[in-house]
Amino acid sequence: MRNWQIIASFFAFLLVCDEVKAGDKEDVLARMAEFYSAINAGDVDAMTFTAHTRFNVEGGLISTLSASDQAQRKVELKGAFAAGLKVNVQTFHENADVYGNTAVFTCYERVNINPPEGEPVNDTRRVTVVLVKEKDEWNGVHVHLSYLKPVNPE
């Protein structure tokens, strides 16, 4: 009897989950690489990846970003880069796992932020990004950032 339950569960799982297509993992990794390249170049218009919810590195409760919040954030970033903001984010130990039309990207970031005025920020972070595939494009829906202690995992 137990074997039939396992077999039935397996078939139910296959029906619920979409098929993962060849190249999806590579597409997710490429999408995230494009995002990081845009950040490092200060190319706000190329930062088409925006999450709807996020846990910020500073902690606190989940924050949600409406379309108008995202638009305002882009305006602020453009102004900061125009004023001389320099950002260098290097990722390592990148991984993507795909579950049908949903993917989970994880990595570590070495972050160097040099504002035109103020103290530079240098830290290492853990990152988890949840993406959903819509119209053959991977789009972020949630980001979780946290400081990494110790700062140099290997």
Side-chain angles (χ1 to χ4, degrees), residues 74-131:
K74 279 194 165 195
V75 168
E76 291 168 1
L77 277 173
K78 280 184 179 184
F81 281 116
L85 174 67
K86 301 289 183 212
V87 176
N88 183 1
V89 180
Q90 299 301 314
T91 62
F92 56 105
H93 297 300
E94 300 92 349
N95 185 54
D97 292 311
V98 179
Y99 309 94
N101 70 338
T102 304
V104 177
F105 170 83
T106 57
C107 72
Y108 296 106
E109 296 176 340
R110 283 193 188 95
V111 179
N112 300 302
I113 302 172
N114 292 302
E117 298 176 16
E119 294 295 315
V121 174
N122 298 300
D123 58 49
T124 305
R125 302 173 183 179
R126 269 186 301 255
V127 179
T128 302
V129 180
V130 178
L131 302 99

Side-chain angles (χ1 to χ4, degrees), residues 2-134:
R2 180 104 171 116
N3 287 341
W4 287 109
Q5 290 173 333
I6 293 170
I7 292 170
S9 297
F10 177 72
F11 283 113
F13 177 77
L14 290 177
L15 289 174
V16 171
C17 294
D18 289 338
E19 182 180 337
V20 175
K21 296 179 181 158
D24 277 346
K25 178 176 181 168
E26 292 78 10
D27 291 346
V28 169
L29 292 170
R31 178 80 160 131
M32 294 306 300
E34 291 168 4
F35 174 73
Y36 283 108
S37 292
I39 288 174
N40 290 334
D43 188 354
V44 177
D45 291 325
M47 292 182 209
T48 58
F49 174 95
T50 53
H52 301 285
T53 61
R54 69 185 289 141
F55 282 109
N56 291 311
V57 71
E58 296 85 16
L61 298 175
I62 194 170
S63 60
T64 57
L65 297 172
S66 67
S68 62
D69 292 337
Q70 292 174 8
Q72 180 61 33
R73 190 171 180 174
K74 279 194 165 195
V75 168
E76 291 168 1
L77 277 173
K78 280 184 179 184
F81 281 116
L85 174 67
K86 301 289 183 212
V87 176
N88 183 1
V89 180
Q90 299 301 314
T91 62
F92 56 105
H93 297 300
E94 300 92 349
N95 185 54
D97 292 311
V98 179
Y99 309 94
N101 70 338
T102 304
V104 177
F105 170 83
T106 57
C107 72
Y108 296 106
E109 296 176 340
R110 283 193 188 95
V111 179
N112 300 302
I113 302 172
N114 292 302
E117 298 176 16
E119 294 295 315
V121 174
N122 298 300
D123 58 49
T124 305
R125 302 173 183 179
R126 269 186 301 255
V127 179
T128 302
V129 180
V130 178
L131 302 99
V132 173
K133 190 173 190 178
E134 300 170 319

